Amino acid sequence: MENLPQTPRTTLKRLPQRGSYDRELINQTLDEGFICHVGFAVDGKPFVIPTGYARVGDSLVIHGSQASRMLRTLGQGIDVCVTVTLIDGLVLARSAFNHSMNYRSVVVFGRVTAIVDLVEKVAALRALSEHMIPGRWDDVRQPNERELQQTTVLSLPLTEASAKVRSGPPLDDEDDYNLPVWAGVIPLRLIAGVPVDDPRLSTNTAVPKYADEYERAVL
């Protein structure tokens, strides 16, 4: 398995035993998530903005309106920090102090570049759509020239990143294991409900299989 090189920014200081630089683990975590948080500073003021994303090879891509302050700012080549977190369970210990959560997270540092080539831009937008709902892109109307002009797509290389994972049962103080208190893990996962028709849906338009049977895979 390939490991990303550690840098001062990706080296874990707290609970380093939970850290990983394994590219496969990083990729799997990113592929399972939907939302990333993009952190950056403008004129000394911090901002953290949630947005959708997709992994395309060894890069993350995000998109939005050309009017977006975040995208305009990031396109200037400033440093960014992008985080993705998946919650797998609530960890209930015998003491309040040792309660925790099972999770997988990824932190990525770097600078973004704008995707301006039309073919690459459409491919990135397709990847964003397929990341959310595989099979949807081929069913819908493709972006027209005006929509593409109004959309900014940015790419962040996955060259400086680390993962952090917590799994397993609670870790109590040895003296607390004899307490008559239930302890364990409540697993959590993302599940899809029954698709709800758009009120303006044309008559006799069936729900596509990828929507009716949608399930977010746990990798």
Side-chain angles (χ1 to χ4, degrees):
M1 295 182 183
E2 178 189 357
N3 279 358
L4 293 177
Q6 290 183 232
T7 71
R9 295 195 293 190
T10 61
T11 299
L12 276 71
K13 306 299 192 299
R14 174 164 164 70
L15 301 175
Q17 70 275 15
R18 295 183 183 175
S20 174
Y21 306 89
D22 176 57
R23 180 178 289 278
E24 183 176 355
L25 173 61
I26 291 170
N27 287 350
Q28 288 179 346
T29 303
L30 295 174
D31 290 347
E32 191 175 330
F34 282 115
I35 298 294
C36 69
H37 288 79
V38 182
F40 58 99
V42 180
D43 298 329
K45 298 178 180 179
F47 296 87
V48 179
I49 308 296
T51 187
Y53 72 92
R55 183 181 67 87
V56 180
D58 294 335
S59 297
L60 281 187
V61 293
I62 60 176
H63 80 299
S65 168
Q66 283 194 337
S68 165
R69 177 179 62 177
M70 178 185 76
L71 298 185
R72 291 200 313 270
T73 302
L74 298 186
Q76 296 172 7
I78 66 172
D79 285 335
V80 301
C81 176
V82 175
T83 63
V84 172
T85 303
L86 307 175
I87 302 300
D88 295 320
L90 303 178
V91 181
L92 279 60
R94 293 162 181 82
S95 68
F97 181 79
N98 286 318
H99 279 61
S100 186
M101 287 181 283
N102 284 340
Y103 63 87
R104 289 162 289 154
S105 63
V106 171
V107 177
V108 185
F109 296 95
R111 297 184 177 185
V112 301
T113 56
I115 298 177
V116 295
D117 178 83
L118 184 60
V119 174
E120 294 180 6
K121 192 173 188 179
V122 172
L125 293 173
R126 180 189 179 103
L128 285 158
S129 174
E130 291 296 293
H131 174 67
M132 183 171 63
I133 304 184
R136 182 65 174 173
W137 181 266
D138 290 333
D139 274 358
V140 299
R141 177 180 65 79
Q142 307 302 304
N144 58 38
E145 183 177 354
R146 178 180 60 83
E147 291 168 336
L148 289 173
Q149 291 176 349
Q150 293 176 344
T151 303
T152 296
V153 182
L154 301 177
S155 175
L156 174 65
L158 293 170
T159 54
E160 188 178 5
S162 63
K164 192 173 183 180
V165 177
R166 200 260 186 226
S167 60
L171 300 174
D172 270 304
D173 295 345
E174 195 61 36
D175 292 343
D176 289 338
Y177 280 98
N178 292 323
L179 292 174
V181 178
W182 184 87
V185 176
I186 301 174
L188 300 176
R189 67 186 183 95
L190 185 67
I191 61 173
V194 177
V196 178
D197 287 345
D198 182 342
R200 297 185 61 178
L201 191 69
S202 300
T203 306
N204 299 324
T205 302
V207 178
K209 183 176 180 180
Y210 55 74
D212 192 41
E213 300 180 1
Y214 185 86
E215 183 175 356
R216 193 60 175 166
V218 177
L219 303 176

